[in-house]
Amino acid sequence: MATKFDELTGFATKELFYENVKNAVLANPLERHCIVYFDIDNFKIFNDLFGYENGDSLLKESARLIKELNGNKNLCSRITSDWFAFYIPERKFSETALTDISDSLNKIFKESLMPIVIHFGVYSFNSLDEKVSILAGRAKRALKSIKGFPSKLVAYYDNKFMETERQEQHVARVFDTALKNGEFRIFLQPQVSAKKGLLGAEVLARWITPQGELISPDKFIGTLEKTGLISKLDNNIWEQAAALLKYWEGTEKENLYLSINISVKDFNNLDVYQVLTDIVKKYNIPPKKLRLEITESVLMNDVKKVLEVIKKLRKAGFYIEIDDFGKGYSSLSMLKDIEVDLLKIDMDFLRKTENELKSSIILESIISMTRKLGLEVLTEGVETEAQIDFLKMVGCDLFQGYYYAKPMAVADFSRKFFSPNLHSLQGEEKTVV
Ligand code: C2E
Ligand code: MG
Ligand code: MG
């Protein structure tokens, strides 16, 4: 017969835990209740570095502290490996107690071994309107939302969290139909050389619903990335971009290029090389006109495979850009391993800092280093003339940002930049019709 308790911690198995929580809730109908999930960041690394004995002692110590908090090992479970769940009546719950657990673990392990980062996910409720496993799943998803953020100790599955999940489910449910109905359209944002004027544009997806609502990427890209659907969207957007380049042939726009975004997930889901070479063949356009924006986070996963694909694409004539440089885990040293043509620096990460002087020193250094490496450099997110003047002074000639124009529908782009009387690229508000 399978044992009902975990050997290492003495805690209930998952099934027994669910059963015990159900009984505890039913026995106290007037209380509010909490299910709390707990997880240790980088537990695998801890195990690899310090061995299983130390790993076991970290788990036992965690279990001891959890048990101390809720007082009943039958209402605690080690769900798997370093994932724990426990029940606690809401009146006994406090964030301070969770901070104490974090402090206690660090007191024991930080000095002798390494700092311990833990996270909690909390779901509080007043009745069993769903199975306990489903309620526990909410606490777990709240926890997952802060994994990878060392400074965040607790996340709550509350109404806001539930609403976000609902929206994500909605996106995932209607996506295929929306894509089939052509609801995802390309918008263009100009890329400009201070010396030469308009050179091309970045292609940005917009979702236009049948009701005419315009939804911006931050409402759907994340969900599509989570579910893997992003690759279907990207394939479609890339094709729209190629079709537009073809359409521009023989017109005054034929010298413009378009930059498309490639998601980290695309490298897992698609044969990116095959798809892109097929697209340029199908539309019979030169690959160098379809520029590829790859975020630096791509280079954090499976670097070798991605570098190989990028190299092949570059050899096939595509122009490669590193997007959002500086926004994530910028690694300057990465630039020596990757062959790219252009670095897009994100202004946004500097805007958020308080110290303008430091920001400008950082920008200046990145630009000068990039140019020494023989790469082109473009700053995106430029909003003011002063920013452009400074960037020009420190050697950047290529720009994208609201200063020139916000992303706009293709027809608006043509009207704005190619109508006989509207050639100005300065100050969108002044020229917009
Ligand atoms: P990104 O590729 O870094 O695109 C630039 C984003 O910065 C755009 O937001 C643009 O509207 C915004 N931006 C440009 N200039 C300024 C400025 O001066 N000030 C400020 N505050 N913002 C500026 P958008 O269009 O909302 O796109 C957000 C992100 O969504 C993109 O960031 C890109 O990562 C992703 N995305 C958009 N379309 C696609 C797509 O077709 N495929 C994939 N995989 N990702 C896409
Ligand atoms: Mg981009
Ligand atoms: Mg960017």
Side-chain angles (χ1 to χ4, degrees):
M1 205 184 81
T3 166
K4 291 191 161 185
F5 296 94
D6 171 38
E7 237 174 70
L8 189 77
T9 60
F11 281 0
T13 57
K14 187 168 69 179
E15 290 70 27
L16 179 62
F17 169 70
Y18 291 161
E19 189 61 30
N20 292 343
V21 172
K22 186 172 136 192
N23 293 333
V25 173
L26 292 176
N28 298 288
L30 300 178
E31 292 239 31
R32 276 189 72 81
H33 317 272
C34 294
I35 294 178
V36 183
Y37 248 78
F38 163 92
D39 164 65
I40 304 163
D41 248 15
N42 296 322
F43 181 65
K44 193 178 168 307
I45 294 176
F46 185 93
N47 252 339
D48 289 347
L49 286 178
F50 305 111
Y52 285 94
E53 247 173 57
N54 280 314
D56 280 356
S57 102
L58 174 56
L59 292 175
K60 278 194 212 155
E61 203 48 38
S62 305
R64 188 185 68 75
L65 293 162
I66 288 172
K67 158 86 190 324
E68 210 172 85
L69 173 62
N70 94 332
N72 182 349
K73 75 177 173 43
N74 295 321
L75 289 168
C76 304
S77 177
R78 184 157 73 105
I79 304 285
T80 52
S81 139
D82 61 325
W83 287 79
F84 292 78
F86 60 96
Y87 165 88
I88 190 166
E90 198 184 58
R91 69 186 148 76
K92 279 172 87 184
F93 175 85
S94 80
E95 257 193 57
T96 325
L98 306 186
T99 310
D100 289 346
I101 293 183
S102 171
D103 291 347
S104 301
L105 288 176
N106 275 296
K107 211 174 266 164
I108 303 168
F109 295 97
K110 190 174 167 182
E111 285 267 299
S112 56
L113 302 172
M114 69 183 242
I116 307 297
V117 174
I118 58 171
H119 301 291
F120 295 94
V122 183
Y123 179 57
S124 80
F125 55 97
N126 52 15
S127 63
L128 284 176
D129 46 6
E130 300 275 7
K131 279 189 188 162
V132 175
S133 58
I134 290 180
L135 306 180
R138 293 176 182 161
K140 181 179 177 180
R141 295 204 293 286
L143 188 157
K144 276 186 159 177
S145 72
I146 51 168
K147 254 190 100 63
F149 298 95
S151 61
K152 298 204 169 143
L153 181 69
V154 195
Y156 296 89
Y157 187 96
D158 51 14
N159 286 341
K160 199 169 144 227
F161 199 102
M162 196 183 286
E163 184 49 36
T164 310
E165 276 197 343
R166 254 197 222 124
Q167 272 176 12
E168 289 186 354
Q169 283 160 2
H170 172 75
V171 169
R173 228 183 351 254
V174 302
F175 172 76
D176 271 333
T177 315
L179 188 69
K180 228 180 275 150
N181 292 346
E183 292 176 29
F184 290 93
R185 309 266 267 278
I186 60 174
F187 267 44
L188 303 180
Q189 186 177 32
Q191 295 189 345
V192 178
S193 152
K195 291 192 191 112
K196 300 183 208 141
L198 181 66
L199 298 180
E202 174 167 10
V203 174
L204 294 154
R206 293 291 182 270
W207 184 354
I208 301 171
T209 67
Q211 293 74 35
E213 189 193 354
L214 189 147
I215 306 174
S216 58
D218 59 322
K219 298 275 185 322
F220 58 85
I221 295 283
T223 308
L224 297 182
E225 284 190 327
K226 259 194 221 164
T227 50
L229 293 168
I230 187 69
S231 303
K232 280 193 190 173
L233 174 72
D234 279 346
N235 211 328
N236 179 288
I237 295 287
W238 302 345
E239 191 146 353
Q240 289 190 50
L244 183 60
L245 284 169
K246 187 73 195 165
Y247 183 70
W248 281 350
E249 270 184 12
T251 73
E252 65 219 314
K253 284 162 235 150
E254 79 174 342
N255 290 326
L256 299 181
Y257 62 79
L258 291 176
S259 295
I260 52 173
N261 288 286
I262 301 188
S263 159
V264 189
K265 290 288 162 75
D266 292 333
F267 287 94
N268 300 330
N269 300 341
L270 295 175
D271 182 340
V272 174
Y273 175 80
Q274 196 62 45
V275 171
L276 286 167
T277 45
D278 284 352
I279 287 179
V280 292
K281 241 184 251 150
K282 178 173 169 191
Y283 289 91
N284 190 22
I285 49 167
K288 72 171 189 327
K289 281 200 173 176
L290 200 58
R291 296 187 167 198
L292 313 180
E293 296 198 2
I294 298 167
T295 50
E296 50 173 339
S297 58
V298 163
L299 304 168
M300 303 297 139
N301 307 15
D302 205 353
V303 180
K304 231 170 130 194
K305 183 179 141 201
V306 174
L307 288 183
E308 211 48 50
V309 180
I310 293 175
K311 209 167 165 183
K312 260 169 69 184
L313 285 164
R314 197 158 180 258
K315 217 163 158 202
F318 289 94
Y319 188 95
I320 314 285
E321 307 183 353
I322 297 288
D323 198 2
D324 297 339
F325 189 79
K327 227 179 185 178
Y329 313 88
S330 302
S331 155
L332 294 175
S333 66
M334 152 205 108
L335 291 175
K336 68 180 170 16
D337 302 322
I338 176 172
E339 289 172 36
V340 295
D341 300 282
L342 181 145
L343 203 67
K344 275 185 98 169
I345 304 176
D346 200 284
M347 223 15 227
D348 207 40
F349 82 104
L350 292 174
R351 235 193 310 272
K352 286 186 190 115
T353 62
E354 310 228 305
N355 191 325
E356 263 182 49
L357 179 67
K358 274 194 193 156
S359 295
S360 48
I361 294 172
I362 293 172
L363 257 180
E364 189 173 352
S365 321
I366 297 178
I367 291 169
S368 118
M369 177 205 67
T370 310
R371 299 196 49 185
K372 276 188 203 141
L373 287 169
L375 306 180
E376 287 202 82
V377 55
L378 178 149
T379 314
E380 68 175 318
V382 288
E383 292 183 349
T384 65
E385 199 163 356
Q387 286 170 349
I388 305 226
D389 287 343
F390 168 75
L391 289 160
K392 278 202 280 199
M393 198 175 72
V394 295
C396 180
D397 175 60
L398 301 173
F399 304 101
Q400 178 183 339
Y402 291 175
Y403 176 73
Y404 294 104
K406 288 189 176 170
M408 62 188 93
V410 176
D412 293 334
F413 180 85
S414 293
R415 250 195 308 275
K416 182 171 164 65
F417 298 113
F418 292 93
S419 309
N421 304 322
L422 289 169
H423 279 290
S424 170
L425 272 166
Q426 304 257 313
E428 184 196 17
E429 284 8 282
K430 278 177 256 158
T431 55
V432 93
V433 273

